[in-house]
Amino acid sequence: MTVGHHNEATASSRVLGYGEPDLPAPAHRHNEATALSRVLEPRSVAIIGASANPDKRGYQIIKALKKAGYNYPIFPVNPRGGAILDLPVYPGIDVLPHAVDIAVIVRPAEEVPDILIQCGKKGIAGAVVLAHGFRERGDKGADAEQRLRDALDISGVRIIGPNTSGMLNCTVRADFIGLPELPPSGPVSVLAQSGNMILSVVEDSRTINGPSFDIIAGLGNQTDIGYGELIEELSKRKTTRSVAIYSEGLLDGRGFLDAADRVAQSCPIVMLRGGRSVEGRKAALSHTGSIAGADDIAIKVLAQKGVILVDRSDELLPIAALLATSPLPKPKTGIAVLTDGGGHATLAVDALSRAGAPIASLSEDTKARLRRVLGDEAKVENPVDVASAADAYPDVFPECIEILASDPQVGLVLTNGLFGAYHIRFDASLLKAENAAAERIVALHKDTGLPLVFHSCYADRKPENHDILRKGDIQVFPSIEWAATGSKALYARATWLSKQDSHVAKLIPEAKTVFVPGGLSAETAARGILEKLGVDTGKWLSASDANSVEAAISTFASPCAVKLDSAHVVHKSDVGGVRLGVTRETGREAVEDIGRAMTSHTPPLQKYGFIVTPMVDRGAELFVGATDDPVFGPVVLFGSGGVLVEAAKDVSFRAAPVSPEEALNMIEETRVAKILDGFRHFPRVDKRSLANFISSLSMAVLRMENLAELDINPIIANESGIYPVDVRLVGK
Amino acid sequence: MTVGHHNEATASSRVLGYGEPDLPAPAHRHNEATALSRVLEPRSVAIIGASANPDKRGYQIIKALKKAGYNYPIFPVNPRGGAILDLPVYPGIDVLPHAVDIAVIVRPAEEVPDILIQCGKKGIAGAVVLAHGFRERGDKGADAEQRLRDALDISGVRIIGPNTSGMLNCTVRADFIGLPELPPSGPVSVLAQSGNMILSVVEDSRTINGPSFDIIAGLGNQTDIGYGELIEELSKRKTTRSVAIYSEGLLDGRGFLDAADRVAQSCPIVMLRGGRSVEGRKAALSHTGSIAGADDIAIKVLAQKGVILVDRSDELLPIAALLATSPLPKPKTGIAVLTDGGGHATLAVDALSRAGAPIASLSEDTKARLRRVLGDEAKVENPVDVASAADAYPDVFPECIEILASDPQVGLVLTNGLFGAYHIRFDASLLKAENAAAERIVALHKDTGLPLVFHSCYADRKPENHDILRKGDIQVFPSIEWAATGSKALYARATWLSKQDSHVAKLIPEAKTVFVPGGLSAETAARGILEKLGVDTGKWLSASDANSVEAAISTFASPCAVKLDSAHVVHKSDVGGVRLGVTRETGREAVEDIGRAMTSHTPPLQKYGFIVTPMVDRGAELFVGATDDPVFGPVVLFGSGGVLVEAAKDVSFRAAPVSPEEALNMIEETRVAKILDGFRHFPRVDKRSLANFISSLSMAVLRMENLAELDINPIIANESGIYPVDVRLVGK
């Protein structure tokens, strides 16, 4: 069946334009196809703005579709009519014979809203909008963006873009981007906010003979369809086994986190973030009108929800390729490095260690068995060095891998060195033996399910045996660091999946919210709000004058801190608003001292109260806080506290809510965690109480409306408990 | 002239074996060739342990030499005589017709010492010793290593190795490693402690069509010739324009630092260090018997001496290639990013920012001129985005580079995106225009001397125009991150060279040294030693009893700290050995308190004294110290001080001595530097006084014999000065 044939069809019985019995119907395509699934896997396409001029995008897209072997109807639309590349041109959307799956709109920004409304009327599910001139232009494009949004509301059409380089589906051979050659169908899907990054990952896959692609989409401005919705849809496709993302900013970060948390259960998500630096943020803003958000927060909350982050553009494809094809290591195992050279082994172990990947201790039995293969002098500690044993006998690799696979401590074998190139390095006659060794390794891989990752410094020569491994779903990388980062990614994912239960921290469904007043709250008000939301801020009393301060001190029957209680002073101690170790006898004096300080304050402070708290014993000065991140929503913080909190830069982040287990992980990520187990004169702290406190705070902040920032600093932790010393709450 | 002809020669007039008038003599070869220069550029070679068996190394090396086109005499040596590959075999070293430049010894470890002694008798300059079984075997190999050392002393022969994969010289076509193909001659020399890493860098250069090699040497155990000596020798070669090092440990770290400091003046040194992690160290130790040393110290002291460090094995060759071929940017300029896509630009700026490279602000004039080329809507802030302007007109790149080159703020242009592949991406007819654009860029590069670095996601396709750039000494990388790290490396080198004067901190030549007694010194002794060496530790008095403590307090006429003075207690405050705010009236009580604490100490402390110092006002608690690093010798430290110094991990390092300027850099590298400019209630500190103190301490430690560790913690800095509060000195 030819595309031309289809275009000639006008049968009204085929109104939906897909599901024709004589077209191939991939197994996952259901009749109840959603708009989004029709967009991602279109079985008919209209080119709005088709052109007969080979220099125009409206021509090139049609040409690219035909070249790629797109086997479904293509409907060029142009008021001029005629024919383009043997396809009849329809003069308008309204006269299209089908309600097609997708429209590719190549007309300029100002025409797009009207076109979308016409598409909606015709029942077209979605559109790719290539035009730019919207939000990414700043104020100049704001109007156009708003008109586009209005058209989306009216038409109900789902769009990818605008300001996108397009999308493609290798499985149905639909290429709206126009690659030099459309790659074959493969397991990696790609979402990117950059046409160039799409070209990069396609080239990278080609360079490493890596796995190919299912769907690749340029998201552009994400005016309608965003990352969250797309990963959910991709995860439903059997043809997608990992999603690689290049993002310059998530418009709905919180929604993406929720989606990622669900999707990552079954489908790995690998993400490279652009705009992480101040300068990069500026560049991204002018590119896609998006903001990446605070880098340190993003890193933590994305990992919390199962997203594997890569730091380098050159690692996005390799890591996504590995995650798409490799089984996962068992938790609590480690990596065995199998090498033919000490230098490569050393570097592999260094790279694994830097990536934070676990390194296996081999059992005595394993070492004895390795020695039987490699000889008595061989280095059979991890890394295992076959040295010259493989030079003439490549089967030493499968033999060693088989032994390592039977060690329960070993969860992954990273083979590195010259693998597969002995016939290049030494003797061409070794080629056959190397191919056979690769076949044996593939069989072992299938039998044992053990993740295997390879590095070979000859990978760029693309020897046959490397492709044998790749066809057996084993990746071979030219870079030791890729192999190490990839191995770590497999462990990170395995660990995340194993911790699922502890991640779930649920809110009481009927939980009421509390409104946080704009600006700074007085400390008593802040503590009041926290307590209303179930966070115990310890002993404190509010007082309005010397008498009530004295009464409060009497209640606590111990020396107290007497502090200014005002919504007008951020740093109480800087303005003389704090008196420590105050007894009943010195209560009045403290009130008078603070009073004098307030009179000499600029401007003088007239109305204020006091907050009285019992003095706290010495302990570690910590920080617990929360912020409403503009991208990811409520986030909790934990770290070193005290005056130098900003200089210390010792803080960990999570999206709220966090379970006590996850809060423990937060604590352990900080440097200050080391002193909480007791250090010099610092007392041992019950980390679990601290974690419970963080967790309860994380629940509370979800119930705060209008929260800007919450700082409990310091919160003192010692052997008898944890004591919030100063609480600062700020509304938007 | 054939090699065979030479081997037949027996003329005694050619005893030296080099300098024959009918052999090509590279310009840098002098008659006064040193032993080391003869080793690195041998004009005659003896193969000790030559073999007629093609499976043996003693055959393969001869074959490799012939294949590589080595145009000088080769003398196989084997007691059996005969001929190998048409070369007559000499039955012994003593009967060799020449005193050859280099012997390649392929005999096992136990025979090597005797062979070296024979070589020495024959006047052979040096040898490559391939055998293993020495120090890298631990105790088992220690004897063999010692016998080897003895033979070196007796023979005077210089050796590379043992436990090396060999060396090669592409310029004279001498390949003792036996590569599949010997690369052409090029500007990069390589020193590596790993045969596999040698293969890696050779492959990496091939993969990126990068510059080739001059000399490549595997150092092995460095029993004789080490890194320091080799870089000095390489830097004398006109054919070497950068040295890439893979090191698993410098046996003479201090010597290497001194050599690097000299060499880096004229020749870039790029270094990848193996064994940086705990696990990697273990692997390296069993591989070459070397220890990399403490990672954080190594990083700082190597950079201090001009060494460019790379973190990844896959970046060693690209960065060395760039440094070998690119001019340096002018100091105080920044990088302009020129791109054809926002995503790549964003990632480039992110990568530059992460690497710490400076990013240029473009002048208004530059932006106006760029707009004239790119249109009014173009993004001409840095990054400059040509967007689709280049799709059909590649000359837009040289046009923009020319404009950027004339902006004095711009010191380097990093071009990224699809560069050079428009004929692949869009239309094959663009090939000619792209080649012409590349030629124009090469001409611009030559005219302006402006460093140009390219990334292209199509680099792996090796388009002609990329090779035009490379032939014009402009590197094109497939990875944005390589381009960014490389650009940063060029700036790091330019900055280092520009700071030369401030690095020189000289000792008084006749300076006397002071012996530090083993173990902990009492604090008064420690301060005494420091003061003898010109370091002012502030006001303090030694006291032996209550009377002298009272007298000391009177002298200072202010409240004092009275502290235990003993060589037996490390943490005085932990054992009740410190009393603060002591006045003349409370002096006796303080002495008695400390006395009671010492009696109840385990074991009870009987003999001790006191040190009395005036109380110091509030300020920043800092740390200044020194250690004798096992690899790099005396190193000074600066950072956050106080009890939590180890948990804070906020410390910078330099090899002693440091100038006050370099000490200022140390201070600025720490997080605590931020509060020294005044923060909340922290006073502003005179950083220059602090730097002077660090500098004077760094001079002092060079004059301490037997130093293990010196900690001044805390040293309190406030608006009135800097005050060493606690001084702890430990000898070995």
Side-chain angles (χ1 to χ4, degrees):
Chain A
M1 165 166 302
T2 67
V3 173
H5 170 78
H6 256 278
N7 281 303
E8 284 151 29
T10 54
S12 60
S13 63
R14 293 192 192 158
V15 168
L16 288 178
Y18 59 90
E20 286 90 342
D22 51 353
L23 282 175
H28 62 275
R29 180 78 172 203
H30 304 293
N31 279 329
E32 63 276 19
T34 61
L36 192 51
S37 72
R38 288 170 63 192
V39 168
L40 291 185
E41 185 160 315
R43 305 293 169 85
S44 54
V45 52
I47 311 298
I48 317 297
S51 170
N53 179 346
D55 290 339
K56 298 274 186 184
R57 193 75 190 270
Y59 174 93
Q60 290 157 354
I61 287 177
I62 298 170
K63 199 176 163 201
L65 281 170
K66 297 191 108 182
K67 185 174 152 206
Y70 181 65
N71 212 9
Y72 299 94
I74 303 168
F75 304 109
V77 177
N78 189 315
R80 292 184 212 167
I84 298 172
L85 289 163
D86 298 330
L87 296 172
V89 176
Y90 292 81
I93 294 165
D94 54 330
V95 297
L96 283 174
H98 283 201
V100 300
D101 282 348
I102 195 166
V104 180
I105 302 174
V106 293
R107 300 297 304 162
E110 56 273 22
E111 295 180 22
V112 171
D114 186 47
I115 291 171
L116 287 176
I117 287 165
Q118 292 180 53
C119 288
K121 283 186 186 150
K122 190 71 191 178
I124 295 177
V128 172
V129 181
L130 303 179
H132 43 81
F134 297 92
R135 194 180 71 239
E136 81 283 3
R137 281 285 156 84
D139 290 343
K140 285 185 208 168
D143 272 6
E145 182 96 6
Q146 189 51 53
R147 277 187 289 119
L148 180 65
R149 285 181 192 282
D150 293 344
L152 291 174
D153 287 347
I154 296 164
S155 67
V157 173
R158 306 302 314 272
I159 67 162
I160 290 181
N163 185 29
T164 169
S165 53
M167 62 154 279
L168 57 82
N169 179 322
C170 293
T171 303
V172 297
R173 315 304 298 156
D175 176 8
F176 307 136
I177 294 173
L179 293 181
E181 312 98 23
L182 187 67
S185 176
V188 179
S189 280
V190 179
L191 304 177
Q193 252 170 320
S194 155
N196 275 18
M197 269 311 288
I198 289 174
L199 299 176
S200 274
V201 294
V202 171
E203 282 303 299
D204 288 349
S205 167
R206 190 178 175 279
T207 300
I208 66 168
N209 268 9
S212 192
F213 304 95
D214 182 22
I215 284 173
I216 301 181
L219 272 77
N221 289 11
Q222 313 171 63
T223 302
D224 177 24
I225 302 174
Y227 286 100
E229 206 178 347
L230 279 172
I231 58 171
E232 297 247 31
E233 185 63 33
L234 289 172
S235 73
K236 292 177 193 152
R237 296 174 60 83
K238 285 183 187 142
T239 38
T240 288
R241 277 156 53 197
S242 78
V243 182
I245 295 177
Y246 170 65
S247 161
E248 293 184 356
L250 300 158
L251 292 190
D252 174 16
R254 173 58 62 158
F256 180 79
L257 292 182
D258 292 343
D261 208 11
R262 285 187 296 272
V263 167
Q265 307 290 337
S266 61
C267 177
I269 306 165
V270 185
M271 186 186 246
L272 169 71
R273 295 170 49 249
R276 298 176 62 181
S277 62
V278 176
E279 297 87 351
R281 242 188 293 285
K282 239 169 49 189
L285 190 62
S286 78
H287 174 221
T288 47
S290 310
I291 298 176
D295 194 41
D296 40 11
I297 290 179
I299 289 169
K300 290 296 176 188
V301 302
L302 289 164
Q304 179 188 356
K305 301 302 182 181
V307 178
I308 307 286
L309 294 164
V310 294
D311 288 330
R312 299 168 60 100
S313 66
D314 56 9
E315 290 190 347
L316 178 60
L317 185 276
I319 305 303
L322 184 63
L323 283 160
T325 51
S326 175
L328 293 177
K330 296 204 181 93
K332 297 188 184 172
T333 59
I335 296 167
V337 174
L338 177 65
T339 191
D340 53 12
H344 279 161
T346 300
L347 289 163
V349 171
D350 275 351
L352 287 170
S353 170
R354 193 162 55 233
I359 294 170
S361 296
L362 305 183
S363 73
E364 289 308 316
D365 177 52
T366 300
K367 286 188 253 183
R369 291 174 63 196
L370 287 168
R371 248 184 238 108
R372 251 170 272 151
V373 173
L374 300 174
D376 285 343
E377 288 291 299
K379 286 161 201 154
V380 294
E381 301 288 334
N382 192 6
V384 177
D385 191 346
V386 307
S388 55
D391 290 6
Y393 182 66
D395 255 5
V396 79
F397 283 107
E399 285 173 15
C400 289
I401 290 171
E402 188 162 15
I403 294 168
L404 290 167
S406 69
D407 188 327
Q409 273 297 304
V410 174
L412 184 155
V413 178
L414 193 169
T415 305
N416 89 341
L418 317 186
F419 183 88
Y422 288 105
H423 67 281
I424 298 168
R425 174 80 181 87
F426 298 111
D427 195 323
S429 69
L430 285 166
L431 176 64
K432 256 178 94 170
E434 291 201 272
N435 289 356
E439 301 277 12
R440 251 189 93 181
I441 291 169
V442 168
L444 262 169
H445 184 54
K446 217 168 262 177
D447 286 354
T448 61
L450 186 75
L452 300 177
V453 180
F454 281 72
H455 153 260
S456 170
C457 66
Y458 287 95
D460 190 61
R461 304 249 190 157
K462 302 188 178 175
E464 283 170 30
N465 57 76
H466 287 185
D467 276 335
I468 292 170
L469 292 183
R470 290 190 189 107
K471 271 179 207 131
D473 273 347
I474 299 169
Q475 298 305 314
V476 187
F477 294 125
S479 153
I480 294 174
E481 284 75 17
W482 290 3
T485 314
S487 300
K488 163 66 186 177
L490 292 173
Y491 267 96
R493 180 158 167 73
T495 305
W496 184 81
L497 286 171
S498 75
K499 278 191 191 161
Q500 281 309 296
D501 283 352
S502 69
H503 289 179
V504 183
K506 292 212 187 314
L507 279 180
I508 313 147
E510 71 274 23
K512 286 205 186 114
T513 59
V514 173
F515 185 83
V516 178
L520 182 70
S521 291
E523 185 169 352
T524 52
R527 292 192 186 233
I529 288 176
L530 281 171
E531 292 184 354
K532 204 178 287 180
L533 295 169
V535 180
D536 179 6
T537 69
K539 295 179 186 169
W540 61 274
L541 285 168
S542 169
S544 56
D545 55 21
N547 288 341
S548 53
V549 164
E550 284 172 355
I553 298 172
S554 300
T555 309
F556 295 130
S558 75
C560 286
V562 175
K563 302 188 297 180
L564 176 70
D565 186 39
S566 162
H568 300 284
V569 172
V570 178
H571 296 302
K572 304 173 180 83
S573 59
D574 288 6
V575 299
V578 178
R579 285 295 172 276
L580 300 178
V582 182
T583 58
R584 191 175 156 111
E585 290 67 40
T586 57
R588 184 162 302 270
E589 185 191 328
V591 167
E592 287 165 2
D593 281 352
I594 293 173
R596 267 188 298 276
M598 292 312 104
T599 312
S600 60
H601 189 264
T602 325
L605 214 61
Q606 259 126 37
K607 285 183 82 176
Y608 54 86
F610 302 93
I611 173 167
V612 182
T613 58
M615 289 299 290
V616 176
D617 286 345
R618 199 168 177 176
E621 290 200 357
L622 306 174
F623 171 88
V624 175
T627 181
D628 188 37
D629 185 78
V631 177
F632 296 107
V635 167
V636 283
L637 293 75
F638 169 79
S640 296
V643 186
L644 296 181
V645 62
E646 277 148 84
K649 282 195 182 157
D650 179 29
V651 57
S652 59
F653 305 87
R654 290 292 186 283
V658 292
S659 65
E661 285 72 18
E662 189 65 23
L664 263 183
N665 292 340
M666 287 180 75
I667 296 169
E668 294 301 343
E669 279 170 15
T670 60
R671 294 193 308 274
V672 77
K674 284 178 194 68
I675 70 160
L676 300 183
D677 294 326
F679 171 79
R680 298 280 299 274
H681 61 257
F682 286 90
R684 189 182 190 81
V685 168
D686 179 9
K687 288 180 181 170
R688 199 153 276 277
S689 306
L690 190 54
N692 287 337
F693 181 84
I694 296 167
S695 177
S696 77
L697 188 88
S698 78
M699 309 281 197
V701 296
L702 282 189
R703 294 166 59 193
M704 291 183 188
E705 267 180 80
N706 199 46
L707 170 73
E709 222 177 278
L710 169 67
D711 294 350
I712 307 182
N713 181 25
I715 177 166
I716 290 187
N718 58 33
E719 58 272 77
S720 67
I722 53 169
Y723 303 93
V725 169
D726 201 32
V727 178
R728 202 163 63 86
L729 180 65
V730 182
K732 280 172 191 161
Chain B
M1 164 166 301
T2 67
V3 174
H5 170 76
H6 256 278
N7 282 304
E8 283 150 30
T10 53
S12 60
S13 64
R14 292 193 193 160
V15 169
L16 288 178
Y18 58 89
E20 287 89 342
D22 50 354
L23 283 175
H28 62 275
R29 180 79 173 202
H30 303 294
N31 280 329
E32 62 276 19
T34 61
L36 191 52
S37 73
R38 287 170 63 192
V39 167
L40 290 185
E41 186 161 314
R43 305 291 171 86
S44 55
V45 52
I47 312 297
I48 317 297
S51 170
N53 179 346
D55 290 340
K56 299 275 187 186
R57 193 75 191 270
Y59 174 93
Q60 290 157 352
I61 287 177
I62 298 169
K63 199 176 161 200
L65 282 170
K66 295 190 107 183
K67 186 174 153 207
Y70 181 65
N71 212 8
Y72 299 93
I74 304 168
F75 303 109
V77 176
N78 188 315
R80 291 185 212 166
I84 299 172
L85 288 163
D86 297 332
L87 296 173
V89 176
Y90 292 80
I93 295 166
D94 53 329
V95 298
L96 283 174
H98 283 202
V100 299
D101 281 348
I102 196 167
V104 181
I105 303 174
V106 293
R107 301 297 304 161
E110 56 273 21
E111 294 180 23
V112 171
D114 186 47
I115 291 171
L116 287 176
I117 287 165
Q118 292 180 53
C119 288
K121 282 187 186 147
K122 190 69 190 179
I124 295 178
V128 172
V129 181
L130 304 179
H132 42 82
F134 297 92
R135 193 180 70 236
E136 81 283 2
R137 281 284 156 85
D139 290 343
K140 286 185 207 169
D143 273 6
E145 182 96 7
Q146 190 51 53
R147 276 187 289 121
L148 180 65
R149 284 180 194 282
D150 293 343
L152 291 174
D153 287 346
I154 296 165
S155 66
V157 173
R158 305 303 313 271
I159 68 163
I160 288 181
N163 185 30
T164 168
S165 52
M167 64 153 278
L168 58 80
N169 180 323
C170 293
T171 304
V172 296
R173 315 304 296 156
D175 175 8
F176 308 137
I177 294 173
L179 295 181
E181 312 96 27
L182 187 68
S185 177
V188 179
S189 281
V190 179
L191 304 177
Q193 254 170 317
S194 155
N196 275 19
M197 270 309 289
I198 288 175
L199 299 176
S200 274
V201 294
V202 170
E203 283 302 300
D204 288 349
S205 167
R206 191 177 174 278
T207 300
I208 66 168
N209 268 9
S212 193
F213 304 95
D214 182 22
I215 285 173
I216 301 181
L219 273 77
N221 290 10
Q222 313 171 62
T223 303
D224 177 24
I225 302 174
Y227 287 99
E229 206 178 347
L230 278 172
I231 58 171
E232 297 247 32
E233 185 63 32
L234 289 172
S235 72
K236 291 177 195 153
R237 295 175 61 82
K238 284 182 188 146
T239 38
T240 288
R241 276 157 52 196
S242 78
V243 182
I245 295 177
Y246 170 65
S247 161
E248 294 185 356
L250 300 158
L251 292 189
D252 173 17
R254 174 59 60 158
F256 179 79
L257 292 183
D258 292 343
D261 208 11
R262 285 187 295 271
V263 167
Q265 308 290 337
S266 61
C267 177
I269 305 165
V270 186
M271 187 186 246
L272 170 71
R273 296 171 48 248
R276 297 176 62 180
S277 62
V278 176
E279 298 85 353
R281 243 189 292 285
K282 240 169 49 189
L285 189 62
S286 78
H287 174 223
T288 46
S290 310
I291 297 176
D295 195 41
D296 39 10
I297 291 179
I299 289 169
K300 289 296 176 187
V301 302
L302 288 165
Q304 179 188 356
K305 301 303 181 179
V307 178
I308 307 286
L309 293 164
V310 294
D311 287 331
R312 300 169 59 100
S313 66
D314 56 9
E315 290 190 346
L316 178 60
L317 185 275
I319 306 304
L322 184 63
L323 283 159
T325 51
S326 175
L328 294 177
K330 294 202 183 94
K332 297 188 182 171
T333 60
I335 297 168
V337 174
L338 177 64
T339 191
D340 53 14
H344 278 162
T346 301
L347 289 163
V349 171
D350 276 350
L352 287 170
S353 170
R354 195 162 52 235
I359 295 170
S361 297
L362 304 183
S363 73
E364 289 308 317
D365 177 54
T366 300
K367 287 187 253 184
R369 291 175 63 197
L370 287 168
R371 246 183 241 109
R372 252 170 273 152
V373 172
L374 299 173
D376 284 344
E377 288 292 297
K379 287 157 201 156
V380 295
E381 301 287 336
N382 192 8
V384 177
D385 191 347
V386 306
S388 56
D391 291 5
Y393 183 65
D395 256 6
V396 80
F397 284 106
E399 285 172 15
C400 289
I401 291 171
E402 188 163 14
I403 293 167
L404 291 167
S406 69
D407 188 326
Q409 273 296 303
V410 174
L412 184 153
V413 178
L414 193 168
T415 305
N416 89 342
L418 318 185
F419 184 87
Y422 289 104
H423 66 281
I424 298 169
R425 173 80 181 87
F426 299 112
D427 196 323
S429 68
L430 286 165
L431 176 64
K432 257 179 92 171
E434 292 202 271
N435 289 356
E439 301 277 13
R440 249 189 95 180
I441 291 169
V442 168
L444 261 169
H445 184 54
K446 216 169 263 177
D447 285 354
T448 61
L450 186 75
L452 301 177
V453 179
F454 280 73
H455 153 260
S456 170
C457 65
Y458 287 94
D460 189 62
R461 305 248 189 156
K462 302 187 177 175
E464 282 170 31
N465 57 77
H466 288 186
D467 277 335
I468 292 171
L469 292 183
R470 290 191 190 106
K471 270 179 208 133
D473 273 346
I474 299 170
Q475 298 306 313
V476 188
F477 295 124
S479 154
I480 294 174
E481 284 75 17
W482 291 1
T485 315
S487 301
K488 163 66 186 177
L490 292 174
Y491 266 97
R493 181 159 167 72
T495 306
W496 185 81
L497 286 171
S498 75
K499 278 191 189 161
Q500 280 310 295
D501 283 351
S502 69
H503 289 179
V504 183
K506 291 213 188 313
L507 279 181
I508 312 147
E510 69 274 23
K512 285 209 184 112
T513 60
V514 173
F515 186 82
V516 177
L520 183 70
S521 292
E523 184 168 353
T524 51
R527 290 191 187 234
I529 288 175
L530 280 172
E531 291 184 354
K532 205 178 285 178
L533 294 170
V535 179
D536 178 7
T537 70
K539 293 180 188 170
W540 61 274
L541 285 169
S542 170
S544 56
D545 55 20
N547 288 343
S548 52
V549 164
E550 284 171 356
I553 298 172
S554 300
T555 309
F556 295 131
S558 76
C560 287
V562 176
K563 301 189 296 179
L564 177 71
D565 186 37
S566 162
H568 300 285
V569 172
V570 177
H571 296 303
K572 302 175 181 87
S573 60
D574 288 6
V575 299
V578 178
R579 286 296 173 276
L580 300 178
V582 183
T583 57
R584 197 184 145 105
E585 291 67 40
T586 57
R588 184 163 302 270
E589 187 189 327
V591 167
E592 287 165 1
D593 281 351
I594 292 173
R596 267 189 299 276
M598 292 311 106
T599 312
S600 60
H601 189 264
T602 324
L605 214 62
Q606 259 127 35
K607 286 182 81 176
Y608 54 85
F610 301 93
I611 173 167
V612 182
T613 58
M615 288 300 290
V616 176
D617 286 345
R618 200 168 176 175
E621 290 201 356
L622 306 172
F623 171 88
V624 175
T627 181
D628 189 38
D629 185 78
V631 177
F632 296 107
V635 167
V636 284
L637 293 74
F638 169 79
S640 295
V643 185
L644 296 181
V645 62
E646 277 149 84
K649 282 195 181 157
D650 180 29
V651 58
S652 59
F653 304 86
R654 289 291 187 283
V658 293
S659 65
E661 284 73 16
E662 188 66 22
L664 264 183
N665 292 339
M666 287 180 76
I667 295 169
E668 295 301 345
E669 279 170 16
T670 60
R671 294 193 308 274
V672 76
K674 284 179 194 66
I675 68 161
L676 301 183
D677 294 326
F679 172 78
R680 299 278 300 276
H681 60 258
F682 286 91
R684 190 184 188 82
V685 168
D686 179 9
K687 287 181 180 170
R688 200 152 277 279
S689 306
L690 191 54
N692 287 337
F693 181 83
I694 296 167
S695 178
S696 78
L697 187 88
S698 78
M699 308 282 197
V701 296
L702 282 187
R703 293 166 59 193
M704 292 184 189
E705 267 181 80
N706 200 45
L707 170 73
E709 223 177 278
L710 169 67
D711 294 350
I712 307 182
N713 182 23
I715 177 167
I716 289 186
N718 58 33
E719 58 272 77
S720 67
I722 55 169
Y723 304 93
V725 170
D726 201 32
V727 178
R728 200 164 65 86
L729 180 65
V730 182
K732 280 173 190 160

